[in-house]
């Protein structure tokens, strides 16, 4: 593969080539995207592109092709740039046309000047997104995609600073190593659950260290807030410049972008220089210092990616093909293969979760339903398909919820553990708000990508007084659960952003937050040492099985579902019957719930239509759950 | 720009024309325009060329042409206003002509328009290289009328003539604008405007581009495409006409034309590179405004050796400091004299896209505005404005010393005209006419829709389709969305009558009350949603806050004020605490909100409809109790609701079946069908907005009669049993409902059908909420006094029985409480509860018959 190095290492020279060939027409842009699309389609080519998620920025070659899996955190204003510009050599009057696409700086040789008034200049428009790594992305996602993309270096090897050499080596390696190795690495990496951070951690630390270093260096200015939604997140934030169909992207979308990395130091110099020299230039002093810091941060810290190809990701699970909607035989095959072994996987997962929930199989059943739930549609204001579960009756002191979260983290691609306390409710920033001085959206905890699991731990909440911020935060949580939307604060007005977040609330009694369904936990065993118990649970699961669980949970979310007329009739009959027998306790709400349970129950066994059998099973589950709640009420009543 | 030449006086320039000396003629700082005008006092100062860019000098022919061409009025500003290379310079020369006939013109200085030309020079065109200048001059001299501005198709003379014709002739009697107070619409509109300028002395002529477009399409197109060239031409035209008519008028400076409402009105999101240097109008919200920036327009240098002075004009944001004194040839002897340099006011403003224009799921865009001179400080952060201006893009140099350029342009808009969208709200003229514009097709469609016989039912069905049935409630909410007509009785001392309809929904939990509220909140543009549990009185009304930075007291408005002219949805109304609820009393009847806090005393408008939802105290509605007893709300508050609906879970097999089918369908319906419903919501929204702003029904004769009858009937029902079943408040409710129903039909007159429906709905609501559970009779006093008439009667009887019982006991001064209760129970033929007994005791205590202390009852 002779040209691999070329299009990977210096994509701009390819663009230049295409540009030179087609210059008078404007369709060179189309040809460029087509070229790269073709290139990336070739067998697993996407895996050869170094990913900004795994490799620290300073190990990557400037102006090389990189990929980045990220969430759109904020959208800046569109930029007008010189799509095509002309340089003049003042001595010889020779004129040359250049392209400005995929570049931050209009380049010209030492002897040349840019002719700003040339009639051949083409002004074009592009959009800048401020992107951060997917918030709460699980370690295993990072790790698997890390090995998938680096199918050539052994995981323990740490990078050496001489990175130019490295990247050439890598390129060669890539050719030699078939991507088969990927499987093998995956196998190795997942050998032990508790140990799982082991191989990733050094790399992560390194990123962090290098980032920290950069933060301190320039002029000792205060560290730049990279605006990650969740505290303690790491990884690069990135200014992603999009050239095509940016209208289709939304805030909080998860994207995978392929583009040209630009870390030109000029970009960061701009700021400091401008501030002293531009007193006369009216255009420059318009932005406040904060705004400049945010909108053109040092490129070493926040690199730019000029997007050649971008796609929205339906999910971030690296074990699944990236796009399931395509009618490719490969994906079909994958899905049908997996479907064939669905029921053993489900059984195993149920067993695993039952153990995790201290032997409560009903709660485990509901937990599965919860984990595969997703908002599939909205009817005017009503989100359909949300299934927030309140797991009440959690043992308080044994750090049960902590460990339960860790298990869930091993299963879902993105999650966050919110420990509710008076302190955290009063002092954390839940709702993203617009900072008009810096002209950006300051992120908050609730700015999460679709299908993120939010585990709220209410067991630690003590009595106390919430202040205004706390009340707002609790209200925001409530709105999130009930309407699946977050009202972002734009100071002069609020704006509603729909979201799709799976909320699991663990509490002792009934939660103070609303939920779709409350399941009271009935532990069968109370292990003396919770930590030991849980970690032994995880080690007992084979890594390959664990991966199956992960595929199971991500895949089932994406399936379609329908109800036949016949079953509709049956459900109708049933409902009428139930109302007749007990009009007090069966309401429209209950029907809603039962339909939801039936939906996810059918999906969980791989059925895409509701069968009578599943409907009865759903009713049965609901009845069991209700009986348990009733029982609980009685117990509590007696105690009081 | 005109007069204040030195920085100390520039603030005056900003404030207002009144404070400006008309022409500060002191030799110390002659304003720039003087150099070009034929003002005799300053001719000596005239330095014809030193400051002008070389283009002028290059073509002496052009200079000649200046003198020979007909007199015109744009002069001094030329070097700054236009591209120097533009032949407009030659086409509009005039200034040097001695003895311009119109003295008024001569006396009125020209004010530079930085809004038109601040960055223009960046895009200079090398015009003279091909000798085009000579050609043009020649053409002009010979043909006069054929001249066009380079790079455009604008012919100055014909453009001017057309615009003058427009000013003199444009009449559009149909187009009524809010500013047209005192204008005779059958006379040429803009001539009246000029007259106004003469009287008021504000030398700005606002021109609605829409008018221009209907008058002359081509001229309009030219204005949009080449505002930089065309607007000065308009200026000239306007000034000629003005000074023809009012030769003695004294203005601070010459009239400047300010076009607005360019049809390219667009959303900020649609701006694209093609709009650069064109006239655009966009709407948005101001989010930040900078300090005032004095921008140097012209630097004044003096040689320290020989005191020779010179001026240098700003060029692309830079001043080229002369390195050699032209007089004494000393190098580096020139120093800048700040006091004598010329500055203009400038302000940077950030405009953010208005929330309505934004596609869902994206963050708003912003755009920078530059305001100049008197437009500085015209808007504050938070204002909604329509801005007309010229869109600009400037390349950014990475570093002044390096030739490479950042490939990105900085964009901004040079503001020519501001129009505050919500200015009417501030002035409080008439708020019904929200700035919502409908296309003609849309209006046609809505009107077509309104003619349908079943429009009322249709709209009610379109409202919250995911909520099942509850048709009357939906109808009630629909009427609430339309609202009644506003009536003003201030002169008779009753103040404004409330036009808003308040609705209370109460009922079992889980009957989608919250969902209905959410839907309404999402439907109306100015809606607020709060929950009674989480809101405090201040959150609802307004509170005073100290700004941490400025230590200034700021009035922050709460949900009720924010939803002025909208709907305030309050969920969990019953959970609201007493003090919070009490503020609602004022809002719900007077529609105002009084605040006296931290030295701020004011009354805010809160013309909001309230849609509240309340759960019964016992979590389940108790059909054996009255509404008041079920929700425990004070009747004073309840009586302020026009309609009180019960949302109960009907126990009916057919209903259950329909409900089940409806719900199941929710869970697998296709996306397409949902799309359709979404469309319906948009139509519904427009329909309501249109009706609210354009339909204002009045009571017809028949309808009034019907209303009177209805009211009398209502009163009659009760009178037979010795109780009152209707109060004037109910009549007002009926009127409002009838008006709202007329609005639904887009009818300007309230007719009998409207009254019929109002009556029906009102009765329906009453039947649900004001039925006495003991007697089954609709009894309005449940809502107005909190107790049904029969209950009151029974209380009375019990008290009398008790009194008799005590009196029958003889002279015992004190009695045991329990003993008395037992005796009474034994005597009475109905069950006497402890509560009833206590009530009776209290009633007797009120009559000073006895007192109760602890467990003993003492006679008095």
């Amino acid at each position: 593969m002779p040209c691999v190095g070329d299009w990977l290492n210096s994509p701009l020279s390819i663009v230049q080539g295409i540009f030179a060939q087609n210059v008078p027409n404007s369709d060179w842009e189309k040809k460029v995207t087509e070229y790269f699309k073709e290139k990336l389609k070739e067998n697993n080519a996407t895996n050869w592109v170094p990913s900004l998620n795994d490799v620290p920025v300073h190990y990557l070659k400037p102006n090389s092709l990189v990929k980045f899996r990220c969430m759109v955190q904020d959208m800046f204003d569109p930029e007008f740039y010189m799509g095509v510009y002309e340089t003049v050599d003042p001595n010889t009057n020779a004129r040359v046309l250049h392209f400005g696409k995929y570049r931050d700086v209009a380049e010209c040789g030492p002897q040349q000047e840019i002719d700003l008034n040339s009639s051949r200049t083409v002004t074009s428009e592009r959009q800048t997104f401020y992107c951060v790594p997917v918030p709460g992305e699980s370690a295993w996602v990072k790790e698997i995609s890390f090995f998938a993309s680096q199918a050539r270096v052994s995981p323990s090897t740490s990078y050496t600073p001489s990175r130019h050499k490295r990247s050439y080596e890598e390129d060669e390696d890539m050719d030699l190593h078939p991507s088969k190795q990927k499987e093998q690495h995956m196998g190795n990496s997942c050998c032990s659950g508790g140990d799982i951070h082991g191989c990733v951690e050094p790399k992560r630390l390194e990123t962090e260290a290098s980032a920290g270093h950069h933060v301190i260096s320039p002029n000792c200015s205060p560290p730049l807030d990279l605006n990650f939604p969740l505290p303690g997140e790491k990884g690069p934030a990135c200014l992603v410049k999009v050239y095509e169909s940016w209208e289709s992207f939304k805030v909080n979308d998860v994207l995978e972008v392929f583009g040209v990395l630009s870390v030109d130091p000029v970009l960061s110099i701009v700021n400091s220089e401008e501030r002293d020299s531009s007193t006369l230039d009216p255009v420059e002093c318009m932005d406040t210092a904060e705004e400049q810091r945010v909108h053109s941060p040092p490129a070493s810290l926040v690199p730019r990616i000029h997007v050649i190809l971008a796609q929205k990701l339906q999910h971030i699970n690296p074990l699944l093909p990236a796009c399931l909607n395509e009618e490719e035989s490969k994906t079909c095959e994958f899905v049908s293969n997996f479907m064939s072994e669905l029921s053993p996987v489900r059984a195993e997962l149920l067993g695993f979760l039952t153990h995790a929930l201290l032997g409560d199989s009903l709660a485990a059943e509901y937990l599965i339903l919860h984990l595969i739930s997703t908002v599939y549609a909205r009817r005017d204001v009503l989100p359909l398909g949300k299934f927030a579960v309140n797991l009440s009756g959690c043992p308080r002191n044994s750090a049960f919820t902590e460990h339960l979260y860790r298990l869930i983290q091993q299963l879902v691609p993105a999650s966050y553990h919110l420990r509710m306390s008076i302190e955290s409710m009063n002092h954390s920033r839940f709702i993203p708000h617009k900072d008009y001085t810096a002209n950006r959206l300051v992120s908050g905890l609730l700015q999460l990508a679709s299908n993120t699991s939010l585990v709220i731990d209410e067991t630690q909440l003590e009595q106390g007084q919430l202040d205004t911020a706390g009340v707002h935060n609790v209200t925001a949580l409530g709105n999130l659960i009930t309407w699946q939307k977050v009202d972002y604060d734009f100071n002069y007005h609020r704006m509603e952003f729909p979201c799709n977040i799976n909320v699991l609330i663990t509490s002792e009694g009934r939660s103070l937050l609303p939920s779709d369904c409350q399941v009271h936990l009935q532990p069968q065993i109370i292990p003396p040492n919770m930590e030991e118990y849980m970690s032994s649970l995880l080690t007992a699961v084979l890594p390959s099985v664990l991966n199956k669980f992960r595929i199971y949970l991500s895949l089932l979310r994406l399936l379609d579902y329908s109800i036949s007329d016949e079953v509709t009739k049956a459900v109708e009959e049933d409902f009428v019957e139930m109302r007749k027998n007990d009009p007090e306790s069966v309401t429209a709400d209950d029907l809603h719930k039962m339909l939801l349970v039936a939906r996810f129950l059918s999906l969980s066994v791989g059925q895409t239509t509701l069968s009578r059998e599943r409907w009865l099973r759903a009713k049965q589950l609901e009845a069991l759950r209700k009986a348990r709640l009733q029982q609980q009420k009685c117990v509590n009543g007696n105690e009081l | 720009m005109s007069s204040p030449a030195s920085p100390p006086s520039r603030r005056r320039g900003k404030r207002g024309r009144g404070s400006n000396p008309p022409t500060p003629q002191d030799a110390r700082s002659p304003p720039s325009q003087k150099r070009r005008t034929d003002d005799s006092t300053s001719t000596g100062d005239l330095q014809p060329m030193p400051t002008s860019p070389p283009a002028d000098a290059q073509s002496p022919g052009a200079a000649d042409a200046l003198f020979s061409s007909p007199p015109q009025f744009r002069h001094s500003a030329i070097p700054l206003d236009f591209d120097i290379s533009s032949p407009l310079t030659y086409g509009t020369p005039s200034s040097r002509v001695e003895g311009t006939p119109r003295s008024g013109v001569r006396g009125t200085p020209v004010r530079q328009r930085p809004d038109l030309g601040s960055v223009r020079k960046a895009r200079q065109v090398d015009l003279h290289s091909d000798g085009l200048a000579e050609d043009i001059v020649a053409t002009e001299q010979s043909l006069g009328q054929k001249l066009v501005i380079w790079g455009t198709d604008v012919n100055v003379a014909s453009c001017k003539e057309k615009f003058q014709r427009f000013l003199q002739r444009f009449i559009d009697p149909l187009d009524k604008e809010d500013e047209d107070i005192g204008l005779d619409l059958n006379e040429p509109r803009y001539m009246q405007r000029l007259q106004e300028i003469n009287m008021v002395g504000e030398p700005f002529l606002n021109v609605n581009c829409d008018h221009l477009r209907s008058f002359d399409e081509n001229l309009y197109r030219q204005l949009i495409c080449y505002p930089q060239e065309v607007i000065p031409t308009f200026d000239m035209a306007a000034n000629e006409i003005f000074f023809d008519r009012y030769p003695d008028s004294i203005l601070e400076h010459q009239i400047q034309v300010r076009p607005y409402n360019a049809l390219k009105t667009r959303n900020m999101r649609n701006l694209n590179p093609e709009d650069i240097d064109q006239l655009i109008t966009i709407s948005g919200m101001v989010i930040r405004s900078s300090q005032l920036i004095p921008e140097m327009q012209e630097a004044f240098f003096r040689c320290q050796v020989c005191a020779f002075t010179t001026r240098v004009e700003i060029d692309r944001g830079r001043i080229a400091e002369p390195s050699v004194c032209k007089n004494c040839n000393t190098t580096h002897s020139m120093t800048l004299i700040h006091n004598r340099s010329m500055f203009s006011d400038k302000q940077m403003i950030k405009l953010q896209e208005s929330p309505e224009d934004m596609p869902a799921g994206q963050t708003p865009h912003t755009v920078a505005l530059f305001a100049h001179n008197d437009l500085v400080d015209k808007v504050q952060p938070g204002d909604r404005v329509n801005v007309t201006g010229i869109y600009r893009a400037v390349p950014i140099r990475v570093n002044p010393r390096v030739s490479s350029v950042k490939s990105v342009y900085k964009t901004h808009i040079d503001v020519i005209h501001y129009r505050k969208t919500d200015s009417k709200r501030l002035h409080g003229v008439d708020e019904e006419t929200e700035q919502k514009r409908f296309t003609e097709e849309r209006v046609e469609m809505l009107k077509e829709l309104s003619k349908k016989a079943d429009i009322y039912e249709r709209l009610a069905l379109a409202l919250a389709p995911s909520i099942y049935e509850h048709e009357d409630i939906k109808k009630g909410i629909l009427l609430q969305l339309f609202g009644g007509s506003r009536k003003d009785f201030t002169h008779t001392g009753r103040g404004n009558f409330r036009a808003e309809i308040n609705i209370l929904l109460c009922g079992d939990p889980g009957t989608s009350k919250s969902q209905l509220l959410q839907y309404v909140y999402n439907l109306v543009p100015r809606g607020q949603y709060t929950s009674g549990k989480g809101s405090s009185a201040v959150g609802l009304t307004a509170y005073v806050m100290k700004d941490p930075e400025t230590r200034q007291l700021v009035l922050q408005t709460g949900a009720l004020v924010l939803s002025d002219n909208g709907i305030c949805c309050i969920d969990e109304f019953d959970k609201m605490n007493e003090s919070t609820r009490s503020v609602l009393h004022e809002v719900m009847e007077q529609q105002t909100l009084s605040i006296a806090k931290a030295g701020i005393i004011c009354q805010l408008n809160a013309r909001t409809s309230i849609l509240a939802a309340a759960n019964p105290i016992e979590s389940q509605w108790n059909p054996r109790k009255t509404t008041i007893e079920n929700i425990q709300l004070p009747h004073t508050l309840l009586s302020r609701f026009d309609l009180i609906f019960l949302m109960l879970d009907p126990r009916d097999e057919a209903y259950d079946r329909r409900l089940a089918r409806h719900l199941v369908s929710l869970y697998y319906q296709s996306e397409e069908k949902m799309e359709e419903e979404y469309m319906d919501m948009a139509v519904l929204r427009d329909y309501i907005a249109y009706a609210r702003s354009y339909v204002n029904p009045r009571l017809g004769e028949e309808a009034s009669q019907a209303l009177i009858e209805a009211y009398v009937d209502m009163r009659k029902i009760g009178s037979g049993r010795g109780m009152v079943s209707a109060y004037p408040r109910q009549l007002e409710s009926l009127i409002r409902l009838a008006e709202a129903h007329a609005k639904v039909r887009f009818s300007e007159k309230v007719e009998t059908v409207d009254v019929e429906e109002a009556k029906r709905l009102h009765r329906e609501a009453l039947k649900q909420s004001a039925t006495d559970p003991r007697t089954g009779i609709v009894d309005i006093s449940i809502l107005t006094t909190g107790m049904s008439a029969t209950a009151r009667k029974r209380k009375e009887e019990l008290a009398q029985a008790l009194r008799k019982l005590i009196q029958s006991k003889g002279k015992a001064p004190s009695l045991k409480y329990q003993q008395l209760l037992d005796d009474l129970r034994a005597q009475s033929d109905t069950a006497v509860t402890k509560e009833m007994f206590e009530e009776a005791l209290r009633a007797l205590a009120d009559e000073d018959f006895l007192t109760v202390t602890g467990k003993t009852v003492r006679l008095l």
Side-chain angles (χ1 to χ4, degrees), chain B residues 531-551:
Chain B
S531 171
K533 217 196 276 176
S535 57
S536 60
V538 288
L540 275 182
T541 58
Y543 52 100
V544 179
M545 223 182 60
K546 197 165 253 175
D547 191 307
E549 270 174 39
T550 58
R551 315 288 302 148

Side-chain angles (χ1 to χ4, degrees), chain A residues 40-175:
Chain A
L40 288 170
K41 244 187 212 157
E42 283 167 27
N43 38 358
N44 286 325
T46 48
N47 290 339
W48 306 337
V49 183
S51 164
L52 216 53
N53 295 82
D54 313 319
V55 188
V57 181
H58 57 282
Y59 288 156
L60 290 168
K61 208 175 145 219
N63 293 328
S64 64
L65 193 71
V66 294
K67 67 176 175 188
F68 188 38
R69 186 179 61 247
C70 54
M71 184 187 87
V72 181
Q73 192 269 325
D74 193 4
M75 292 168 158
F76 293 162
D77 295 332
E79 286 179 340
F80 289 177
Y81 69 99
M82 291 177 240
V84 176
Y85 61 94
E86 200 172 27
T87 54
V88 193
D89 190 326
N91 301 325
T92 61
N93 233 355
R95 290 173 165 266
V96 187
L97 269 190
H98 298 265
F99 66 95
K101 208 178 176 183
Y102 310 125
R103 282 178 175 165
D104 280 311
V105 175
E107 283 174 13
C108 62
Q111 294 304 315
Q112 294 173 324
E113 258 179 25
I114 292 174
D115 181 6
L116 293 174
N117 298 320
S118 162
S119 57
R120 298 168 80 183
T121 305
V122 177
T123 309
S124 320
E125 193 180 6
R126 68 186 175 206
Q127 171 74 289
T128 308
F129 295 154
Y130 186 87
C131 293
V132 295
V134 181
E137 196 176 61
S138 301
W140 62 267
V141 174
K142 294 189 168 118
E143 195 182 348
I144 290 172
S145 46
F146 174 67
F147 289 122
S149 73
Q150 309 262 320
R152 52 252 143 125
V153 272
S154 59
S156 59
T157 313
S158 63
Y159 286 93
T160 46
S162 58
R163 87 187 131 95
H164 283 275
K165 195 175 156 220
R166 169 102 258 145
S167 46
Y168 291 134
E169 242 175 56
E170 280 164 13
D171 298 335
E172 283 156 27
D173 279 358
M174 245 176 336
D175 296 348

Side-chain angles (χ1 to χ4, degrees), chain B residues 103-262:
Chain B
S103 57
V105 181
R106 255 193 302 148
T108 313
V110 172
R111 177 189 274 227
Q112 281 178 342
R113 297 197 63 164
D115 48 348
L116 294 182
S118 64
V119 268
R120 176 60 175 177
K121 285 179 187 165
R123 306 201 58 194
Q124 270 199 13
V125 181
D126 192 8
L127 176 69
H128 299 289
S129 54
D130 50 10
L132 191 60
E134 266 78 15
D135 288 351
I136 287 174
V137 171
T139 0
E140 205 223 353
Q141 277 166 345
S142 53
L143 299 164
Q145 297 295 306
K146 290 275 171 76
L147 180 74
V148 294
I149 295 175
W150 196 88
T152 71
D153 60 354
V154 179
N155 177 311
V156 175
S158 77
C159 173
K160 198 174 82 181
E161 194 191 318
K162 277 187 206 159
F163 187 66
Q164 284 182 338
R165 208 170 338 137
F166 166 73
L167 290 183
Q168 283 162 341
R169 301 208 188 137
F170 181 78
I171 301 172
D172 185 358
L174 296 176
D175 190 41
K176 178 118 179 96
E177 280 181 62
D178 44 291
E179 292 143 24
D180 290 351
I181 304 152
L183 279 196
D184 183 352
L185 291 174
N186 295 316
E187 292 292 310
R189 169 191 298 260
Y190 290 102
M191 295 313 284
Q192 297 180 64
R193 286 260 178 248
L194 286 177
Q195 192 187 354
E196 218 173 271
I197 291 175
N198 182 35
M199 288 191 294
V200 179
E202 264 193 49
F204 300 103
L205 179 66
N206 295 334
V207 173
N208 190 339
C209 292
D210 213 23
H211 296 163
L212 189 62
R213 195 169 67 106
S214 60
F215 189 80
D216 186 338
E217 191 87 33
N218 192 40
L219 191 61
Y220 169 78
R221 183 189 54 76
Q222 287 181 337
L223 172 65
I224 298 299
C225 297
Y226 316 108
Q228 193 144 329
E229 288 80 15
V230 173
I231 294 176
T233 319
F234 283 7
D235 281 355
M236 279 189 282
N239 279 305
E240 269 182 33
I241 293 187
F242 182 78
F243 287 108
D244 255 351
R245 290 204 145 203
Y246 314 102
D248 300 326
S249 177
I250 295 169
L251 294 180
E252 185 207 338
H253 57 80
Q254 294 206 351
I255 294 175
Q256 299 190 348
V257 174
R258 290 184 168 165
Y260 66 94
N261 190 18

Side-chain angles (χ1 to χ4, degrees), chain A residues 77 80 249 251 379 495 573, chain B residues 358 361-362 366 409 657 669:
Chain A
D77 295 332
F80 289 177
F249 300 120
V251 173
R379 287 294 294 262
M495 210 155 13
E573 291 297 327
Chain B
M358 249 171 42
Q362 305 214 346
T366 58
Y409 293 99
R657 194 177 297 273
Q669 216 166 44

